[in-house]
Amino acid sequence: MRDGVAVPLAARSRVVLVLTSVIGLLMLAWPLLLDIDPSAERVDPPFLFLALLPLLLAVVAAELSEGGMDARVLALLGVLSAVNAVLRLLSAGTAGLELVFFLLILGGRVFGAGFGFVLGCTSLFASALMTAGAGPWLPFQMLVAGWVGMGAGLLPRRFTGRAEIVLLAAYGVLSAYLYGLLMNLQGWPFIAGVQVPGQDSTAVSYAPGAPVLENLHHFLVYTVLTSTGGWDTGRAITNALAIALLGPAVLTTLRRASRRARITRTPA
């Protein structure tokens, strides 16, 4: 049976989502794109540019709902967001054991890319409120989690049964590493430090004014040393195991709910 699409993506919504994703990616990659004087003693990110991110996310959420989210879909979104927030509170991310992503992936798979994006944003926002984890990193967490849910909704539909579980588990592993990579990128210069002439620095520090490939090499080494073998691998294992063990039952439950909450309006 074909999955229901809880948040239809109209043509304008697709355009807004693509533009926001491109702008968000540029915001995440600012250390590689910002032109800085190598002799500068201080490096500031484009804060005014970054401040637009929460507004962009709000615009995307509004655009994605233009297809008509009825009360049942809103209820499903609220319930799944709340469950994800509680799961994140319980797992707390210790050693990368984060349970929030497997349900996000399954929700995006069943209800579609638009719903998956909104679910990722609302889940991380709700969990931040519950854990007092709000900070300048939160909009980035919301954006990248939204991409994880959206990507699950864009996976090929021809896979069913065990093949679908294998596909989702593999996506869970890949998305775990990509989430860690992108979240590392926006905060890398502050954590690894900035190379300043005449002062000590490390091989993974951000080098103002250096070629993109040189800074990219520094960043990749930093990521491998700090998160790939620990947090990211723990998140990947958690995603794969949760999807393999709980995926069939959760997919069945979500698909049953999708039949009751399906929207009949056709996207433009």
Side-chain angles (χ1 to χ4, degrees), residues 39-229:
S39 62
E41 297 184 359
R42 177 175 173 177
V43 176
D44 291 325
F47 286 112
L48 292 178
F49 190 45
L50 300 180
L52 296 175
L53 186 53
L55 178 61
L56 290 172
L57 293 177
V59 170
V60 170
E63 286 294 330
L64 293 181
S65 65
E66 74 170 2
M69 283 199 295
D70 66 4
R72 290 168 296 181
V73 175
L74 286 173
L76 279 170
L77 179 62
V79 168
L80 291 177
S81 299
V83 171
N84 260 340
V86 172
L87 288 175
R88 194 172 189 223
L89 177 63
L90 294 176
S91 57
T94 303
L97 302 179
E98 294 181 287
L99 296 174
V100 64
F101 291 99
F102 96 93
L103 185 57
L104 171 59
I105 291 171
L106 298 179
R109 173 65 173 177
V110 172
F111 293 101
F115 187 93
F117 183 87
V118 176
L119 178 60
C121 293
T122 55
S123 295
L124 270 291
F125 181 75
S127 68
L129 294 181
M130 292 181 63
T131 60
W137 55 84
L138 178 58
F140 294 107
Q141 289 180 330
M142 293 169 57
L143 178 67
V144 180
W147 286 340
V148 172
M150 181 179 67
L154 296 175
L155 293 173
R157 295 283 170 177
R158 65 179 181 272
F159 294 93
T160 58
R162 292 184 178 179
E164 181 181 38
I165 296 300
V166 171
L167 173 68
L168 293 175
Y171 176 76
V173 172
L174 176 63
S175 62
Y177 286 107
L178 289 177
Y179 179 88
L181 183 76
L182 291 174
M183 288 307 302
N184 283 341
L185 183 56
Q186 57 88 24
W188 158 54
F190 306 111
I191 299 174
V194 177
Q195 291 184 357
V196 178
Q199 298 185 16
D200 293 336
S201 59
T202 68
V204 298
S205 298
Y206 174 61
V212 173
L213 290 180
E214 179 180 338
N215 269 321
L216 182 60
H217 173 72
H218 290 185
F219 168 69
L220 292 177
V221 173
Y222 163 79
T223 296
V224 169
L225 293 177
T226 60
S227 71
T228 300

